[in-house]
Amino acid sequence: MDKEVFSLCFMCSVRCPIRVKVKDGHVDWIEGNQHVAGIEGSLCPRGSAGKSMLYDDQRVQSPLIRVGERGSGNWRKASWDEAIDYVATRIKEITDENGGHSLALCERTQLATHVSKTFLKALKSPNHFTHDALCKGSVNTACRSLFGYNDGQIGINYGNTKNIVLYGRNIFESIALKEVNGLMKALENGAKLTYIDPRVNITASKAHRYWMIRPGTDLALNYALIHTILKERLYDAEFVSKWVHGLSDLQEFVEEYTPEWAQKETGINADEIVGLARQISKDKPSVIFHYGYRGASHTNEIYMRRSILMLNALMGSVEAKGGIFFKKGPGEVGGKAARKLTAQEFPKIDVPRFDKVGTPDFPLPDPNHGVAQIFPHAVLNEDPYPIKGLIAYRMDPLMSIADTTQTRRALDKLELIVTIDINYSDIAWYSDVILPESTYLERTDCIQQMNGLKPQMYMREKAVEPRYDTMDGAMILKRIAQKLGIGDYFPYESMDELVDWQLEGTGFTREDFKKKGFVAYGADQIFWDKNNIPFKTPSGKIEFKSSLLENAGFESFPEYEPVPAPEAGKFRLVVGRSALHTHVSTQNVPYLNELESENVLWINTGKANELGIKDKDVVEVTSACGKGQIKAFVTDLIHPESVFMLHGYGHQAGRAKRSFNKGLSDALIQENVYDKIGGSPAYHDTFVSVTPL
Ligand SMILES: Nc1nc2c(c(=O)[nH]1)N[C@H]1C(S)=C(S)[C@@H](COP(=O)(O)OP(=O)(O)OC[C@H]3O[C@@H](n4cnc5c(=O)[nH]c(N)nc54)[C@H](O)[C@@H]3O)O[C@H]1N2
Ligand SMILES: Nc1nc2c(c(=O)[nH]1)N[C@H]1C(S)=C(S)[C@@H](COP(=O)(O)OP(=O)(O)OC[C@H]3O[C@@H](n4cnc5c(=O)[nH]c(N)nc54)[C@H](O)[C@@H]3O)O[C@H]1N2
Ligand code: SF4
Ligand SMILES: [Mo]
């Protein structure tokens, strides 16, 4: 029998709305949900490959318990009853002896995150941590320092923008579909795009203005832009005088950071910097300085992200059409959000988090996410206490935290590693137990609350029955919880019941999602009155002079520290994504692997000639913490100070045969250093030497 199901893609975390056509119990076709504005049927390459992932036999097919050494790949099949019993028994032993806090759970934030948070809270462990700090920890902190809202509560109105500046935000390859479609619409309507990156990528090729910046110096560029905007009074005076706290402090601070000074630091011509400031101010407030995710990734990340947000405030583009806006929830229109299990009462936890976030040692990162890259340090040093067990749920610390060798040493100290995954990821391969989750096409999931200009809810609905002996994540955790005697926190027997529980009191039912795949609380876009924006900072204003930073003992405007050039023969290693893969997840998916199966090292032609490296030669890349081999891509399209590779390659799980040992893992080479204020890792603060073999 044929049917069509509205659901949510999960080939990456963006979760675009999709329509799945099913024939005789098989997925026949996947396309974007045509009812959703900004999607209208479109899908990215990874979304289109969902079927290839579903019908791939090289994913985990049943629960597995390790029989050989960790990482040796010797497994025995187990039934769900046995696997759940085994995991619950081991968790009980560990937490009875060492306390609930000796168990940690890491996860890439997803729809069932409220379930895993509940699991840890019920066990009295504060040690839930997500991918967030690895991705944009300092962006989150910077947003809170200026607006009192985190980055997740802020959106970008691409479709109506007139002028946009992207700092290494490689939007046409590091994709979120709605953003791409929105920006394309704006470009068709005449918007101007400036792209800044030490590397010429697809986004650079679509820009009106491209600057090959010296890697790591975006902050210097921004100080010069701010200098020019203030000196020439190019800012939105009305907005700034109403909302900005600390303008005169900023003015005094940027006095010395002239465009001529920035030219020396960044390599960007001073006249061009002035030219951008003048041009973009003509389009205010419908302009965007994109605060990004990754791009620059350095120990001073917090100040770089703050400087971008300040540029938006100076242009008055905050809560403006074609600028950045605060996301509106159902409460704005008298509606109710879906319930979360975390709203229950839990036992009090009286120990700090493993990463000390929220204590004077690490006051500013977001405790809802924690700081993942501290995990290896905390385990190895037993600081603040010994951690004995880890559940890795849709996150791979081995490939996603810098310095894999160090992370593996930390994992070796653990008594229990359990992975909930769909693939033979590197962390699954290194675990004691693998609990396979059903893929997104085989499972119904928790409700997606989508706050934005128009608050909505979406639902992931099962399209086909699971092909293998797999289970939904929220059911796996519930069953372990039952064995541990904390089952009462999980008041459902199936995913449908959990969704019904979430929807209680919202006025919507599961049936309502069947028509279009989503429900909307109202029809109109909501912008707040610009004279009445409820900033959540202590002053109620946009805090250039930040009480969040200063109360914690940090400066709002620390002096700029010049970015060192690499020593002779060395390069700054920078990394990024490809349009064809998601992080470390999809390299083994047949269709995607066929299109791109290996990463290469971009190296500047002049530098390659000096080193005697020719295109496609295999080279060795060496840092202070690791080394590996990779093919060279010799090109003029990269700044001579940096070399670049795609993230996500160099997998070590033997049963994922297509991706096994293909290319090189950036995490093996990168040092685990980070922004000690904002929380982001400094992935781009590793210097490497490159030698021909
Ligand atoms: N296809 C695909 N799309 C994705 C993802 C995916 O895995 N695959 N992941 C999603 C996620 S979670 C994220 S966080 C986003 C990431 O999206 P982006 O923030 O766009 O990140 P990257 O792909 O990491 O691209 C980083 C770019 O920054 C450049 N860069 C390096 N150093 C500097 C510097 O000093 N200054 C400047 N200006 N640029 C620099 C690099 O050369 C690279 O081109 O993508 C999202 N979209
Ligand atoms: N070295 C280095 N580290 C990085 C980055 C980098 O550029 N370089 N980028 C950082 C960024 S921006 C981010 S966002 C993070 C992402 O970090 P991660 O979350 O670790 O990476 P992902 O590839 O998104 O997903 C991890 C795991 O989820 C599994 N998975 C996929 N779908 C499902 C599912 O439906 N259920 C379950 N249970 N598992 C599933 C995949 O098989 C994979 O093993 O990495 C960060 N870490
Ligand atoms: S951006 Fe692509 S992979 Fe990610 S959810 Fe959307 S369609 Fe799927
Ligand atoms: Mo990310």
Side-chain angles (χ1 to χ4, degrees):
M1 211 188 68
D2 297 356
K3 65 172 181 176
E4 285 190 356
V5 181
F6 288 113
S7 191
L8 293 172
C9 180
F10 207 35
M11 292 300 283
C12 87
S13 290
V14 174
R15 298 187 286 265
C16 293
I18 51 172
R19 181 165 72 152
V20 186
K21 295 187 186 172
V22 179
K23 253 192 182 153
D24 301 327
H26 265 67
V27 171
D28 189 47
W29 178 249
I30 308 173
E31 64 186 28
N33 180 339
Q34 67 277 34
H35 299 299
V36 178
I39 294 287
E40 287 124 8
S42 58
L43 269 190
C44 86
R46 300 161 298 150
S48 307
K51 206 176 137 178
S52 170
M53 186 270 288
L54 173 66
Y55 294 113
D56 178 16
D57 296 339
Q58 289 181 22
R59 58 185 173 90
V60 189
Q61 301 188 4
S62 73
L64 296 172
I65 298 177
R66 176 171 68 84
V67 286
E69 290 284 294
R70 272 195 188 142
S72 65
N74 293 321
W75 303 99
R76 70 179 170 83
K77 263 186 167 178
S79 67
W80 276 101
D81 281 345
E82 187 194 359
I84 282 179
D85 215 40
Y86 181 93
V87 170
T89 307
R90 300 301 321 278
I91 290 179
K92 187 157 176 4
E93 283 165 8
I94 287 172
T95 52
D96 278 355
E97 196 179 323
N98 307 284
H101 55 273
S102 61
L103 181 75
L105 185 149
C106 67
E107 102 186 281
R108 180 78 197 277
T109 316
Q110 40 118 12
L111 297 176
T113 293
H114 69 119
V115 180
S116 34
K117 283 195 167 178
T118 299
F119 184 83
L120 276 209
K121 280 174 190 278
L123 281 174
K124 289 185 69 174
S125 172
N127 291 327
H128 180 277
F129 63 104
T130 78
H131 76 293
D132 193 79
L134 300 174
C135 173
K136 56 192 173 54
S138 300
V139 180
N140 178 330
T141 309
C143 288
R144 282 181 287 118
S145 79
L146 282 154
F147 306 126
Y149 293 93
N150 66 37
D151 60 301
Q153 295 167 312
I154 300 174
I156 296 180
N157 190 215
Y158 294 93
N160 294 313
T161 199
K162 293 186 184 152
N163 210 321
I164 179 165
V165 181
L166 303 172
Y167 302 80
R169 173 68 189 100
N170 184 10
I171 206 162
F172 293 117
E173 290 180 278
S174 303
I175 298 171
L177 262 187
K178 271 193 186 177
E179 297 188 14
V180 175
N181 290 338
L183 183 56
M184 299 225 285
K185 183 179 142 206
L187 292 176
E188 278 162 18
N189 289 337
K192 296 174 217 64
L193 169 61
T194 299
Y195 189 68
I196 303 159
D197 195 311
R199 183 177 70 105
V200 184
N201 52 27
I202 300 291
T203 308
S205 74
K206 303 220 179 290
H208 300 98
R209 178 191 286 110
Y210 164 67
W211 286 338
M212 186 181 274
I213 194 168
R214 238 191 97 219
T217 62
D218 302 65
L219 180 58
L221 166 66
N222 283 350
Y223 284 160
L225 283 169
I226 294 173
H227 172 102
T228 310
I229 288 167
L230 293 179
K231 190 169 143 208
E232 301 192 7
R233 297 194 140 263
L234 300 171
Y235 53 92
D236 180 336
E238 194 186 329
F239 183 84
V240 167
S241 76
K242 174 141 187 79
W243 288 121
V244 168
H245 172 65
L247 185 72
S248 52
D249 303 78
L250 177 68
Q251 193 139 23
E252 200 178 308
F253 171 71
V254 294
E255 186 65 40
E256 62 183 293
Y257 300 123
T258 61
E260 292 70 27
W261 165 83
Q263 177 173 336
K264 289 196 203 99
E265 181 69 358
T266 63
I268 301 168
N269 184 289
D271 291 340
E272 288 199 41
I273 297 175
V274 173
L276 173 63
R278 288 181 186 155
Q279 185 209 56
I280 201 161
S281 68
K282 293 200 182 101
D283 288 326
K284 66 179 181 292
S286 298
V287 306
I288 297 161
F289 288 89
H290 198 300
Y291 43 84
Y293 301 89
R294 301 288 326 289
S297 189
H298 302 284
T299 50
N300 68 353
E301 192 76 5
I302 176 83
Y303 293 107
M304 139 71 169
R305 300 299 164 188
R306 272 174 57 80
S307 69
I308 301 180
L309 293 164
M310 285 181 204
L311 282 161
N312 286 292
L314 291 171
M315 291 292 121
S317 69
V318 179
E319 200 60 21
K321 228 178 169 184
I324 68 177
F325 62 86
F326 299 101
K327 293 183 182 171
K328 316 300 180 307
E332 288 292 317
V333 281
K336 268 211 169 127
R339 285 201 288 177
K340 289 189 171 171
L341 294 177
T342 38
Q344 303 173 90
E345 290 275 331
F346 293 97
K348 198 170 162 309
I349 297 173
D350 43 23
V351 287
R353 297 177 51 87
F354 75 87
D355 48 24
K356 301 187 194 166
V357 165
T359 74
D361 282 330
F362 210 8
L364 299 189
D366 188 342
N368 285 317
H369 294 288
V371 175
Q373 71 272 16
I374 308 278
F375 188 72
H377 300 292
V379 173
L380 286 168
N381 301 323
E382 303 193 353
D383 177 18
Y385 41 69
I387 292 176
K388 301 287 184 182
L390 174 70
I391 302 177
Y393 183 3
R394 199 181 159 252
M395 178 170 153
D396 186 347
L398 278 169
M399 293 191 87
S400 305
I401 296 177
D403 196 349
T404 303
T405 311
Q406 184 190 56
T407 308
R408 196 177 294 113
R409 273 200 294 124
L411 294 180
D412 287 341
K413 276 194 77 168
L414 299 179
E415 290 171 17
L416 178 68
I417 309 173
V418 178
T419 295
I420 304 176
D421 207 308
I422 55 173
N423 292 312
Y424 285 104
S425 57
D426 280 28
I427 184 64
W429 200 244
Y430 210 68
S431 299
D432 305 321
V433 184
I434 312 179
L435 302 176
E437 184 166 30
S438 306
T439 67
Y440 71 99
L441 293 162
E442 304 167 305
R443 70 179 194 251
T444 294
D445 222 321
C446 298
I447 289 293
Q448 159 134 335
Q449 196 74 44
M450 277 273 274
N451 294 346
L453 289 173
K454 284 187 205 172
Q456 297 171 326
M457 278 193 281
Y458 286 79
M459 201 176 119
R460 171 174 294 136
E461 189 176 345
K462 187 205 282 192
V464 291
E465 290 304 316
R467 290 183 66 211
Y468 300 122
D469 191 12
T470 58
M471 207 187 277
D472 307 336
M475 294 307 298
I476 297 174
L477 289 173
K478 180 208 156 75
R479 289 204 34 199
I480 301 173
Q482 272 174 319
K483 289 270 172 197
L484 287 166
I486 50 170
D488 286 352
Y489 289 99
F490 304 84
Y492 55 88
E493 296 299 329
S494 66
M495 289 310 293
D496 285 349
E497 276 186 34
L498 175 52
V499 172
D500 289 342
W501 179 90
Q502 287 198 278
L503 290 175
E504 260 174 45
T506 62
F508 296 105
T509 66
R510 267 190 293 135
E511 207 45 40
D512 296 325
F513 290 81
K514 296 218 185 288
K515 275 172 241 137
K516 292 185 173 176
F518 69 95
V519 295
Y521 291 90
D524 301 323
Q525 289 197 340
I526 310 165
F527 279 99
W528 285 326
D529 173 3
K530 273 183 101 173
N531 289 313
N532 213 356
I533 306 177
F535 292 111
K536 285 200 186 150
T537 49
S539 63
K541 296 201 167 191
I542 301 176
E543 294 196 354
F544 284 11
K545 187 170 158 50
S546 163
S547 41
L548 188 76
L549 286 173
E550 294 188 6
N551 291 343
F554 303 113
E555 289 177 76
S556 295
F557 307 108
E559 198 180 328
Y560 181 83
E561 282 181 35
V563 172
E567 289 166 23
K570 294 216 168 176
F571 301 87
R572 186 181 287 277
L573 174 65
V574 303
V575 303
R577 276 135 261 291
S578 140
L580 295 168
H581 285 292
T582 296
H583 299 287
V584 303
S585 298
T586 57
Q587 285 72 20
N588 203 53
V589 171
Y591 289 178
L592 298 173
N593 181 274
E594 202 178 312
L595 292 169
E596 189 183 86
S597 59
E598 200 173 324
N599 59 350
V600 291
L601 188 80
W602 293 42
I603 181 165
N604 178 272
T605 312
K607 292 285 178 183
N609 289 344
E610 281 170 27
L611 293 167
I613 294 167
K614 290 189 298 305
D615 195 42
K616 298 198 177 63
D617 278 356
V618 176
V619 294
E620 188 155 81
V621 182
T622 310
S623 73
C625 70
K627 65 178 175 183
Q629 295 177 5
I630 184 170
K631 274 186 206 140
F633 169 53
V634 176
T635 173
D636 292 333
L637 303 181
I638 186 162
H639 193 283
E641 281 186 18
S642 47
V643 287
F644 170 90
M645 68 167 88
L646 290 173
H647 167 57
Y649 285 91
H651 285 268
Q652 293 303 313
R655 287 194 192 172
K657 295 198 179 92
R658 295 174 211 99
S659 59
F660 175 68
N661 233 353
K662 288 279 168 58
L664 178 59
S665 168
D666 57 346
L668 194 64
I669 313 288
Q670 292 160 326
E671 293 164 52
N672 186 342
V673 286
Y674 54 97
D675 169 357
K676 296 201 166 149
I677 303 174
S680 280
Y683 285 121
H684 296 167
D685 276 347
T686 295
F687 291 101
V688 296
S689 56
V690 180
T691 37
L693 283 182

